């Protein structure tokens, strides 16, 4: 076989493996819930922009240019409690969704039962959505604290399964 043929056969074998992964139901569930939580996180940018515009609270001088020049525009260079609240919610998403992405992927590859994996992914996504509502409405504590703890516990549970399956020190 020529080198080109060998390379092309290797490539199609790699493609076959990728297709197998996409055919894997746990991986598809992971891809679905990851996309949901990432879209939810991206929504935080839009909500931040909405509050910045409606509350007229900006951080960059160029963002206030449409409100006039000099001192009249300067007063819009300020912080606003609603904008800061969404930003804290967004930061909390980053602190929790990024670990979910990495640990969740390893978990999906560690061969869990589909039903168990779905319970993990659904509870995590639900908890992060509740956390966002609890932060933005805001709901009285311990609403936000509990929703955060549930999502956190799901990620720890997946990490435990990964280490139980794959520990190699
Ligand atoms: N970075 C977080 C770590 C602890 C945490 O995530 N707590 C949850 C439940 S109270 C939370 O919603 N914290 C608010 C936040 O991160 O802005 C913090 O500063 O609070």
């Amino acid at each position: 076989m020529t080198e080109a043929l060998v390379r092309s056969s290797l490539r199609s074998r790699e493609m076959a493996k990728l297709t197998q992964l996409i055919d894997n139901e746990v991986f598809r569930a992971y891809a679905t819930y990851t996309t949901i939580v990432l879209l939810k996180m991206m929504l935080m940018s839009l909500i931040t922009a909405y509050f910045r515009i409606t509350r007229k609270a900006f951080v960059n001088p160029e963002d206030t240019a449409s409100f006039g020049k000099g001192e009249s525009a300067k007063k819009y260079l300020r912080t606003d409690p609603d904008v800061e609240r969404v930003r804290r919610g967004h930061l909390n998403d980053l602190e929790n969704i990024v670990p979910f992405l990495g640990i969740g992927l390893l978990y999906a590859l560690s061969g869990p039962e589909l039903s168990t994996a779905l319970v993990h992914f659904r509870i995590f996504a639900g908890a992060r959505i509740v956390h966002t509502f609890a932060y933005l409405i805001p709901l009285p504590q311990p609403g936000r604290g509990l929703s955060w703890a549930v999502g956190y516990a799901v990620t720890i549970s997946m990490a435990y399964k990964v280490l139980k399956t794959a520990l190699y020190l």
Side-chain angles (χ1 to χ4, degrees), residues 88 92 95 131 135 141 144-145 148:
R88 289 195 299 277
N92 197 273
E95 290 173 1
H131 183 272
Y135 219 156
Q141 283 285 34
R144 170 166 48 85
W148 167 80

Side-chain angles (χ1 to χ4, degrees), residues 46-144:
L46 293 181
I47 302 175
T48 307
Y50 168 79
F51 278 121
R52 279 204 188 289
I53 292 164
T54 55
R55 300 332 188 231
K56 293 194 172 67
F58 301 93
V59 275
N60 306 297
E62 65 272 24
D63 298 346
T64 64
S66 56
F67 299 112
K69 282 204 168 96
E71 290 309 307
S72 66
K74 247 190 195 157
K75 64 175 184 282
Y76 300 120
L77 284 177
R78 57 193 174 94
T79 56
D80 172 87
D82 293 329
V83 172
E84 294 311 306
R85 182 170 281 279
V86 192
R87 280 163 56 79
R88 289 195 299 277
H90 198 165
L91 179 62
N92 197 273
D93 272 349
L94 282 165
E95 290 173 1
N96 292 276
I97 291 174
V98 171
F100 172 84
L101 299 187
I103 293 174
L105 177 61
L106 296 174
Y107 171 76
L109 298 174
S110 73
E113 285 291 328
L114 175 63
S115 56
T116 316
L118 277 171
V119 167
H120 279 81
F121 299 155
R122 285 174 182 160
I123 294 179
F124 182 83
R128 290 315 303 176
I129 291 168
V130 172
H131 183 272
T132 300
F133 278 107
Y135 219 156
L136 298 190
I137 291 174
L139 296 181
Q141 283 285 34
R144 170 166 48 85

